[in-house]
Amino acid sequence: MSDDTHEVYAVCYATHARKRSENYIFGDPHDEMTSIAYYVWVIKGPHGTFVCDTGFDEAAAKERARTIIHPVGEGLKALGVQPDKVDHVIATHLHWDHAGNYDLFPNARYHIQDIEMAYATGRCMCHQVLRIPFSENDVLAMVHKVFAYRVEFHDGVEELVPGITVHKIGGHSKGLQCVRVKTKRGTVVIASDCCHLYSHIDEGRVFPITYSVGDTLEGYKTLKKLASSRHHIVPGHDPEVLKLYPAVKTGLENWIVRLDVAPKI
Ligand SMILES: [Zn+2]
Ligand SMILES: [Zn+2]
């Protein structure tokens, strides 16, 4: 493996059944039930292991009526990653389903955009409709990490190590960032919630929880520019990811898949 080439994995940990219309602003004419998946992502390479987002725990799942299938820590261990040995966590944004499990990585430094921290601790949180996707305890945990000198702030585009860059996209959350990773199959973009489902980017549709519709739509264009192809963009909540990409090994099907090998298309 060269100095800037990485392995990338998606680790699914939870699911939620919902009406298809709940996934789009302006709804959907097909009102059948569907499901969304919840993931964290792992990047392994010559500069160590980076975990992208931290998911949520059982207490948060219960509070928001989600179903955890494999706790995040269990998924990481199945991939050979010991959470207490992880040095870097990339926080794409601070929504509850991405920023929980905040004690799982006691030795990690956290990477976040300036604007996301300001957004989650500022005047917008005085508005109920903008506060819904945030959990007060998750945000407070990040504030505690700031005061423990464990947070690295980024502004726009920054290289974390050769082959891994973060890019502020905004839209769904004001300081949302995606992660661009060089792999042996080309440049993969972990979109996180810059694109929840493939249908969002393919059809120009928008998830209902959104700070800025305009920035979300412009963000799709940026994702396409950053990735080697549309098939190198990994949406944040699409269950299809588990079908398109191969399991890491037998026994991990529908749980942990490799994103640095070509999808079945
Ligand atoms: Zn989100
Ligand atoms: Zn999300």
Side-chain angles (χ1 to χ4, degrees):
M1 200 184 289
S2 64
D3 188 44
D4 61 354
T5 308
H6 298 78
E7 298 169 4
V8 190
Y9 305 89
V11 180
C12 182
Y13 66 93
T15 184
H16 184 232
R18 54 172 61 188
K19 283 187 176 170
R20 188 177 296 281
S21 56
E22 291 176 54
N23 290 330
Y24 308 100
I25 287 181
F26 304 127
D28 189 277
H30 309 287
D31 213 15
E32 77 269 24
M33 289 301 286
T34 182
S35 69
I36 63 167
Y38 293 84
Y39 301 94
V40 300
W41 300 270
V42 173
I43 305 164
K44 287 187 185 180
H47 307 279
T49 298
F50 290 71
V51 173
C52 182
D53 289 343
T54 54
F56 54 79
D57 63 10
E58 196 54 58
K62 212 170 170 190
E63 209 175 293
R64 306 237 187 186
R66 271 33 173 203
T67 308
I68 291 184
I69 304 163
H70 302 284
V72 170
E74 202 182 294
L76 294 176
K77 282 173 194 156
L79 194 50
V81 174
Q82 296 299 324
D84 59 349
K85 300 240 163 60
V86 170
D87 292 328
H88 296 278
V89 169
I90 301 169
T92 64
H93 61 311
L94 287 176
H95 285 174
W96 76 278
D97 55 322
H98 297 256
N101 286 312
Y102 40 79
D103 292 327
L104 192 58
F105 304 96
N107 299 305
R109 297 186 64 70
Y110 283 65
H111 298 267
I112 190 168
Q113 291 281 329
D114 286 324
I115 292 175
E116 185 65 4
M117 196 72 200
Y119 177 52
T121 54
R123 65 166 66 212
C124 285
M125 294 305 105
C126 301
H127 299 293
Q128 168 66 9
V129 73
L130 295 176
R131 190 199 289 194
I132 288 168
F134 292 91
S135 156
E136 183 181 342
N137 284 338
D138 296 343
V139 176
L140 287 176
M142 193 61 80
V143 172
H144 291 316
K145 288 184 179 75
V146 171
F147 279 83
Y149 303 106
R150 291 181 56 203
V151 178
E152 289 185 26
F153 285 97
H154 302 291
D155 180 15
V157 181
E158 289 209 43
E159 182 183 73
L160 305 189
V161 296
I164 304 178
T165 49
V166 292
H167 302 255
K168 197 215 117 194
I169 299 287
H172 163 73
S173 192
K174 196 173 182 184
L176 172 63
Q177 59 184 349
C178 70
V179 187
R180 186 187 202 214
V181 189
K182 188 176 171 196
T183 74
K184 65 186 179 191
R185 77 157 169 126
T187 305
V188 169
V189 171
I190 301 169
S192 182
D193 287 0
C194 302
C195 167
H196 286 67
L197 305 170
Y198 284 113
S199 56
H200 288 120
I201 193 163
D202 288 345
E203 299 164 19
R205 301 168 81 186
V206 177
F207 193 75
I209 291 173
T210 301
Y211 175 79
S212 162
V213 170
D215 288 351
T216 300
L217 294 168
E218 286 296 312
Y220 298 157
K221 283 163 70 177
T222 306
L223 296 177
K224 286 177 187 164
K225 275 186 205 155
L226 292 175
S228 289
S229 81
R230 142 75 170 74
H231 301 292
H232 290 73
I233 298 169
V234 183
H237 287 282
D238 202 318
E240 276 298 300
V241 168
L242 295 173
K243 298 193 181 86
L244 289 170
Y245 290 93
V248 168
K249 59 181 180 188
T250 309
L252 302 185
E253 295 87 358
N254 284 316
W255 182 9
I256 306 173
V257 294
R258 288 197 76 133
L259 304 172
D260 54 344
V261 297
K264 294 169 240 162
I265 45 172

